[in-house]
Amino acid sequence: MVSQISELRAKLEESETALAEAKATIGELIWTAYCKSESESESESESESESESESESESESEEVTCPVCSKTFSEGYYHPASQKLWQHMGHGKGHRTIRHKMRWNTTGWNGPWVSG
């Protein structure tokens, strides 16, 4: 009986670890797709007229989505959306793991902890 419980606990831990790894992989894939679509959007906007590309870049900078939980962040009065996303991703093991793997452009970020 005790050995069965131990085996079941070991299987549960394995499953939880596999689930956490799968979530991290999904988050990375979502972020990769997001970065790719963002770079494609930037190249498309360069070929369009100046007024159209300005309005597109404004709408792109106003909203970002978390690659882990799909929560959306909008640019606020004081903080850009990317900064809000960075702060959001500081909570939870899955979020922090992905955040450390991502590249962050801190231009325009506000606060004493920003080095850029």
Side-chain angles (χ1 to χ4, degrees):
M1 182 75 158
V2 173
S3 64
Q4 287 178 329
I5 293 172
S6 298
E7 288 177 24
L8 290 173
R9 283 187 180 162
K11 287 181 180 180
L12 177 61
E13 287 178 16
E14 266 183 52
S15 297
E16 288 174 343
T17 302
L19 179 61
E21 289 174 0
K23 285 182 177 180
T25 302
I26 289 169
E28 289 174 23
L29 291 172
I30 291 171
W31 182 251
T32 302
Y34 172 77
C35 290
K36 184 177 180 182
S37 67
E38 188 175 90
S39 65
E40 288 173 356
S41 296
E42 287 175 6
S43 64
E44 288 174 7
S45 67
E46 289 174 4
S47 66
E48 295 177 359
S49 70
E50 187 175 318
S51 62
E52 289 176 342
S53 55
E54 282 179 14
S55 64
E56 283 183 15
S57 63
E58 285 176 16
S59 64
E60 286 178 15
S61 66
E62 291 176 359
E63 208 170 79
V64 293
T65 304
C66 176
V68 179
C69 66
S70 300
K71 185 174 180 180
T72 303
F73 297 89
S74 299
E75 186 169 345
Y77 175 74
Y78 190 70
H79 299 291
S82 61
Q83 183 178 359
K84 291 179 180 181
L85 175 62
W86 184 87
Q87 290 169 333
H88 162 78
M89 292 187 72
H91 306 286
K93 186 176 180 180
H95 281 78
R96 283 192 306 268
T97 302
I98 300 297
R99 181 175 86 165
H100 291 299
K101 293 180 182 180
M102 294 167 59
R103 296 180 190 262
W104 297 94
N105 179 4
T106 60
T107 305
W109 285 16
N110 302 304
W113 48 268
V114 178
S115 61

